[in-house]
């Protein structure tokens, strides 16, 4: 095992002049080489990339397939470890200071899951509390021949014998900020690419999930709800338990559309499947609060506080296991102290 493992940063870019410098600067002390796969930039992206050391620019004829482009880049990487990022991301530099030392100690690990902080909101600068945290396999050994799959929302294919571990080094992702999405026209592009594979939903239920997610962000909730139910159905048809993120999106849609009767009590079934998913418990508490069942809502928010915010298996809305739950717990107690009628029973 090398004491100073070589890391290759691999990226796909196109017209990223607004964000690329920030991204590369954040990784400059970590990445020993940078593989830039350019799919047709017409702005200053390439020129800005060339300012950095150890950068290799590769030109790729865009074939409407992100996994193909991603694999093209990693095929040219020489590092022991591959780190993959997008231009609308950056490393949280302080939390990466000891990464190489930690990698040198990972004799058995082949894949490293890292926390990605996905910020939302209308525009920059970010609101630190407006963030979803999701662990993803962002570092992996180059020697194992791992490859990406899927046209869009590409996924690293991991064999059953992959040795996965976790590190706390953070990645900040700004691509879901509304002003950035609109400039890049990401929603339109994503839906167009997903529509290419729409006939494969039964084979790959993630296509339906990602369509649901795109329509949800566009606030087109009818389409979003149709696709999320299709995704759940196709997972069940394949005898696979639908991933927790699907249920989170389903109940987020029901809450956004104020379909509380559709959300309760069916959310209990989702919680039975994922009893440790704090966001589902938070949704349960919110639904019960809105239905004026304050005692039951209080119990749900108390469960959120017991579970806390630190969960590596699920997409977490920051604060559902801490200050957001505490805020709603206070609201419940206030309603109970006021002696208001509780529809779950007389207080």
């Amino acid at each position: 095992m090398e004491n100073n493992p070589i890391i290759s940063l691999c990226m796909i870019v196109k017209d990223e002049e607004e964000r690329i410098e920030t991204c590369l600067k954040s990784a400059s002390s970590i990445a020993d080489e940078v593989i830039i796969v350019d799919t047709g930039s017409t702005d200053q992206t390439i020129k800005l990339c060339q300012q950095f050391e150890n950068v290799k620019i590769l030109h790729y004829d865009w074939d409407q397939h992100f996994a193909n482009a991603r694999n093209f880049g990693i095929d040219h990487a020489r590092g022991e470890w591959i780190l993959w990022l997008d231009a609308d991301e950056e490393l949280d530099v302080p939390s990466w200071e000891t990464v190489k030392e930690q990698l040198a100690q990972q004799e058995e690990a082949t894949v490293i899951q890292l926390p990605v902080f996905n910020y939302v909101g209308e525009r920059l600068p970010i609101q630190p509390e407006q963030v979803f945290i999701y662990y993803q396999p962002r570092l992996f050994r180059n020697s194992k021949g791992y490859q990406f799959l899927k046209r869009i929302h590409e996924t690293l294919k991991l064999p059953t014998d992959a040795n996965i571990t976790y590190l706390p080094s953070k990645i900040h992702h700004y691509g879901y900020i509304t002003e950035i999405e609109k400039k890049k026209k990401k929603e339109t592009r994503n839906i167009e690419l997903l529509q290419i594979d729409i006939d494969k939903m039964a084979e790959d239920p993630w296509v339906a999930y990602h369509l649901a997610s795109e329509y949800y962000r566009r606030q087109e909730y009818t389409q979003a709800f149709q696709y999320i139910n299709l995704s759940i159905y196709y997972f069940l048809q394949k005898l696979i338990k639908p991933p927790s993120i699907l249920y989170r999106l389903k109940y987020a849609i029901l809450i956004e559309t104020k379909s509380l009767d559709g959300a309760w009590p069916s959310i209990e079934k989702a919680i039975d499947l994922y009893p440790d998913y704090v966001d589902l418990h938070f949704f349960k508490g919110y639904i019960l609060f809105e239905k004026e069942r304050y005692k039951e809502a209080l119990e749900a928010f108390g469960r959120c506080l017991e579970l806390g915010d630190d969960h590596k298996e699920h997409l977490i809305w920051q604060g559902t296991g801490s200050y957001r739950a505490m805020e709603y717990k206070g609201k419940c107690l206030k309603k109970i102290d006021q002696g208001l009628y509780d529809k779950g029973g007389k207080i």
Side-chain angles (χ1 to χ4, degrees):
M1 178 66 64
E2 295 183 17
N3 291 326
N4 187 32
I6 295 173
I7 297 177
S8 296
L9 168 60
C10 294
M11 301 179 63
I12 306 171
V13 303
K14 181 182 179 182
D15 295 336
E16 301 286 0
E17 63 182 7
E18 292 189 16
R19 299 294 311 173
I20 193 67
E21 280 189 288
T22 300
C23 177
L24 293 180
K25 283 180 181 177
S26 73
S28 59
S29 64
I30 296 296
D32 300 286
E33 72 167 354
V34 179
I35 307 296
I36 299 290
V37 176
D38 184 77
T39 62
S41 293
T42 58
D43 63 0
Q44 298 297 305
T45 297
I46 299 301
K47 183 177 180 180
L48 293 171
C49 290
Q50 290 171 335
Q51 296 176 2
F52 292 84
E53 295 182 359
N54 303 319
V55 170
K56 181 186 295 185
I57 309 293
L58 304 175
H59 298 281
Y60 184 81
D61 292 331
W62 178 237
D63 59 353
Q64 296 185 303
H65 203 294
F66 279 93
N68 290 347
R70 192 80 68 184
N71 292 331
F72 178 74
I74 64 177
D75 285 345
H76 289 80
R78 65 180 180 87
E80 180 184 350
W81 289 89
I82 289 175
L83 164 68
W84 64 278
L85 294 174
D86 289 324
D88 56 12
E89 298 175 328
E90 64 180 290
L91 304 186
D92 179 74
V93 176
S95 66
W96 280 77
E97 289 179 349
T98 62
V99 162
K100 288 206 170 187
E101 290 88 339
Q102 294 179 76
L103 289 180
Q105 299 170 11
Q106 299 293 334
E107 296 184 3
E108 302 297 331
T110 58
V111 177
I112 309 293
Q113 296 262 18
L114 300 172
V116 181
F117 285 61
N118 299 282
Y119 296 95
V120 296
E122 291 298 316
R123 60 187 59 85
L124 296 172
I126 63 166
Q127 301 298 315
E129 72 281 1
Q130 298 288 93
V131 62
F132 291 91
I133 304 169
Y134 198 38
Y135 278 74
Q136 292 182 317
R138 291 302 194 97
L139 272 167
F140 59 93
R141 288 194 188 275
N142 194 9
S143 60
K144 297 297 181 179
Y146 294 153
Q147 294 276 286
F148 287 88
L149 301 175
K150 302 185 188 301
R151 182 182 303 278
I152 187 169
H153 300 297
E154 62 276 20
T155 304
L156 190 65
K157 182 181 180 181
L158 299 177
T160 55
D161 63 349
N163 193 317
I164 301 172
T165 191
Y166 297 85
L167 290 180
S169 304
K170 303 174 185 176
I171 297 171
H172 299 292
H173 173 225
Y174 308 108
Y176 295 135
I177 300 290
T178 301
E179 67 173 352
I180 295 176
E181 279 194 310
K182 287 183 177 179
K183 283 181 181 179
K184 299 290 293 181
K185 299 180 180 179
K186 290 175 66 174
E187 291 173 349
T188 300
R189 178 205 67 190
N190 292 355
I191 289 175
E192 288 176 352
L193 291 178
L194 287 164
Q195 290 286 349
I196 295 173
D197 292 331
I198 198 166
D199 292 335
K200 301 177 181 177
M201 286 192 298
E203 175 186 342
D204 181 9
W206 284 110
V207 174
Y209 166 77
H210 289 304
L211 279 166
S213 182
E214 296 296 341
Y215 282 117
Y216 175 77
R217 286 201 290 273
R218 291 171 64 161
Q219 299 182 356
E220 297 179 19
Y221 297 125
T222 299
Q223 295 95 320
F225 195 65
Q226 290 173 346
Y227 279 116
I228 196 60
N229 282 330
L230 276 174
S231 184
I232 291 171
Y233 170 78
Y234 285 131
F235 271 109
L236 292 172
Q237 194 175 55
K238 292 168 70 71
L239 302 181
I240 299 173
K241 182 169 75 168
S244 62
I245 195 171
L246 274 66
Y247 291 106
R248 192 199 188 285
L249 180 55
K250 176 176 180 175
Y251 288 97
I253 294 168
L254 289 170
I255 288 171
E256 289 285 351
T257 56
K258 302 186 185 305
S259 303
L260 300 183
D261 289 337
W264 178 261
S266 66
I267 195 171
E268 293 277 46
K269 296 179 181 178
I271 290 174
D272 285 343
L273 291 174
Y274 293 101
D276 64 336
Y277 195 177
V278 65
D279 281 28
L280 291 180
H281 287 277
F282 185 85
F283 283 171
K284 174 184 174 180
Y286 177 84
I287 293 163
L288 290 168
F289 182 86
E290 291 296 309
K291 292 177 76 68
E292 300 179 17
R293 299 172 65 159
Y294 303 121
K295 290 198 296 184
E296 293 168 275
L298 186 64
E299 292 176 4
F301 293 123
R303 179 59 177 148
C304 291
L305 294 170
E306 291 174 4
L307 290 169
D309 281 331
D310 185 18
H311 298 271
K312 297 179 175 63
E313 302 82 10
H314 308 296
L315 174 71
I316 300 296
W317 177 231
Q318 183 168 280
T320 54
S322 56
Y323 62 89
R324 296 185 197 276
M326 184 63 71
E327 178 185 0
Y328 267 95
K329 185 176 179 180
K331 289 181 179 181
C332 291
L333 290 170
K334 184 176 181 180
K335 293 288 188 181
I336 292 171
D337 287 345
Q338 290 172 346
L340 297 180
Y341 181 76
D342 187 315
K343 291 186 177 179
K346 184 69 176 177
I347 297 176

